[in-house]
Amino acid sequence: MQEEQLDQNIIDVSSGTASNAFMTRTYAWMTLALCITALAAFLTVGSQAMLEFIFSSKIVFYGLIIGELLLVGALITAVNRMSATTAFLVFAAYSALNGITLSAVLLIFTASSVVLTFLITAGTFAIMSIYGFTTKADLTRIGNIALMALIGVILASVVNMFMNSETLDYIISYVGVAIFVGLIAYDTQKLKDLSYTVDHESADGKKASIMGALTLYLDFINLFLFLLRLFGRRD
């Protein structure tokens, strides 16, 4: 009986170690992607030629956005046919393109408000990710509600493009913040559950951590943008 209990304890420790390794790698990929995005944004703002090339033509700007969507689509639909290295390179390319298009926020908002909003986003992300990782409650219902609410926010945003209502914009921003706060916790819990079922050293395990990093990266970026709409100061 004692031997069986000892064996079970060894299995639990081993499983926990593998899970931690998977999550650590996932957060490392996400952090690296955020660094690539920030670097691309600052390099773009620092180059007058780049700014003129990107923002003087709607074709170029929207072409970059379409490129981002194609890269994400390729990563999601074809990741199983890619190597882990290729999957990360696609993720990195998407992060760089996203940084180039997001450089617009550095032109619209003051640097101090962008930095402050980023710190608020990072703190909120850390708190909710820790909660999602440690809670014993099942967050599936919260995740499902958040995903449905996200569809509503997208539709409301499209409508507000024509209405141009400041009140509706504030409502969308507050709801958007609530949605991604919930999704951060939900996605973290989902990744934690996944970490117990994959071999983190295998190619599939590495690709799973990259896809997990993409999910958390998108949560972080969207939360940042919604918070910036609420707290950002315009130049």
Side-chain angles (χ1 to χ4, degrees), residues 211-232:
M211 295 304 296
L214 173 63
T215 299
L216 295 178
Y217 169 90
L218 291 173
D219 289 343
F220 188 103
I221 291 294
N222 281 287
L223 177 60
F224 169 72
L225 291 176
F226 278 117
L227 286 171
L228 194 61
R229 289 166 66 173
L230 293 173
F231 302 121

Side-chain angles (χ1 to χ4, degrees), residues 8-226:
Q8 184 61 48
N9 289 339
I10 292 173
I11 292 173
D12 290 342
V13 170
S14 177
S15 178
T17 301
S19 173
N20 290 337
F22 176 88
M23 295 301 292
T24 298
R25 177 178 286 154
T26 299
Y27 284 114
W29 290 138
M30 185 202 77
T31 302
L32 181 56
L34 288 173
C35 289
I36 292 172
T37 297
L39 180 61
F42 282 112
L43 289 176
T44 301
V45 170
S47 171
Q48 187 62 34
M50 281 286 290
L51 290 176
E52 292 178 358
F53 175 71
I54 295 167
F55 297 108
S56 64
S57 171
K58 289 184 178 181
I59 295 176
V60 174
F61 182 74
Y62 287 111
L64 290 172
I65 293 178
I66 292 172
E68 290 181 47
L69 295 175
L70 290 175
L71 285 173
V72 170
L75 191 55
I76 293 173
T77 59
V79 66
N80 290 330
R81 299 192 296 273
M82 299 179 184
S83 66
T85 300
T86 300
F88 173 72
L89 290 176
V90 173
F91 184 23
Y94 165 73
S95 303
L97 280 181
N98 201 29
I100 292 172
T101 56
L102 287 178
S103 63
V105 304
L106 298 177
L107 301 174
I108 298 172
F109 298 98
T110 63
S112 60
S113 67
V114 171
V115 172
L116 178 60
T117 304
F118 179 85
L119 293 176
I120 293 172
T121 304
T124 304
F125 181 92
I127 292 170
M128 296 312 300
S129 197
I130 291 171
Y131 172 74
F133 190 84
T134 58
T135 185
K136 301 299 182 182
D138 185 356
L139 301 180
T140 302
R141 184 180 179 186
I142 292 176
N144 291 336
I145 292 173
L147 289 172
M148 288 187 292
L150 180 59
I151 295 173
V153 164
I154 293 172
L155 293 176
S157 297
V158 172
V159 171
N160 203 38
M161 290 174 63
F162 301 97
M163 293 178 56
N164 198 27
S165 168
E166 186 175 345
T167 300
L168 182 56
D169 186 62
Y170 273 110
I171 294 173
I172 290 171
S173 298
Y174 279 112
V175 174
V177 168
I179 287 172
F180 283 100
V181 164
L183 283 178
I184 290 167
Y186 166 69
D187 287 332
T188 300
Q189 185 179 76
K190 189 169 63 172
L191 287 170
K192 179 186 176 183
D193 293 340
L194 175 64
S195 69
Y196 290 110
T197 65
V198 297
D199 177 6
H200 73 281
E201 291 296 341
S202 68
D204 287 341
K206 292 176 181 177
K207 287 187 285 187
S209 69
I210 292 170
M211 295 304 296
L214 173 63
T215 299
L216 295 178
Y217 169 90
L218 291 173
D219 289 343
F220 188 103
I221 291 294
N222 281 287
L223 177 60
F224 169 72
L225 291 176
F226 278 117

